[in-house]
Amino acid sequence: MTITPGVLGDWAMEVAAYTDGTAPTIWTRVYGITEFTPPQTEKNLEDDSEFDGTHWGSQIATGISWTGEATLKTPRAGMAADPGQEILKSASREVLEGGLVHTRFWQEGATTGDQGIADVTFVANGGPKTDLTTAALTLTGRGALNDFTVPTGG
């Protein structure tokens, strides 16, 4: 079997403001993504080996969490803001439910993707005067990362 790899530019992301936890009906595409790490899951492992067992250790998962990260090219001052980035930036300045967004990710051409609710960290990057204006985005999952069916033309 020959595997033809995709490129990270194949990924798309949409967000919706979090209100009361109700699934959104309107999603806003996030533009300007220059680097992307798709949602990654991490298990919390606890040692469940016993003194009277063998010398082999034993671990079991007691929880699972997820994060997604991106670098976003941000518009210059005075230019029109990207609506998706504005949803993220606004949530990053709030706490509790105000700091959450609905988010979903998929690879272009795929029929399914991942979606969930996440807390947002959106931080403007610095650098030398010749750098482009960018922001670092971290989405930290609140609850499960679920499959969803990508809408036609999505």
Side-chain angles (χ1 to χ4, degrees), residues 20-154:
D20 60 1
T22 304
T25 57
I26 298 173
W27 292 88
T28 303
R29 186 84 171 245
V30 177
Y31 291 100
I33 300 171
T34 62
E35 293 183 35
F36 183 64
T37 301
Q40 305 293 308
T41 57
E42 183 176 323
K43 289 184 176 185
N44 180 72
L45 296 174
E46 296 293 335
D47 185 340
D48 72 338
S49 55
E50 302 167 350
F51 284 176
D52 56 350
T54 68
H55 58 277
W56 288 99
S58 176
Q59 294 192 16
I60 191 162
T62 59
I64 191 166
S65 59
W66 65 271
T67 57
E69 297 178 339
T71 300
L72 306 173
K73 180 174 56 174
T74 57
R76 291 178 62 186
M79 295 182 73
D82 175 72
Q85 288 186 22
E86 286 301 301
I87 290 170
L88 295 165
K89 186 176 180 180
S90 177
S92 76
R93 295 181 176 180
E94 299 292 334
V95 297
L96 302 170
E97 290 83 2
L100 301 176
V101 296
H102 293 271
T103 185
R104 61 186 186 182
F105 318 84
W106 70 93
Q107 287 182 294
E108 298 289 355
T111 57
T112 61
D114 295 314
Q115 72 177 5
I117 296 170
D119 187 82
V120 179
T121 303
F122 185 101
V123 179
N125 289 329
K129 67 180 183 175
T130 55
D131 279 3
L132 298 175
T133 55
T134 61
L137 172 67
T138 302
L139 298 168
T140 304
R142 184 166 196 272
L145 188 61
N146 298 304
D147 291 340
F148 81 101
T149 301
V150 176
T152 305

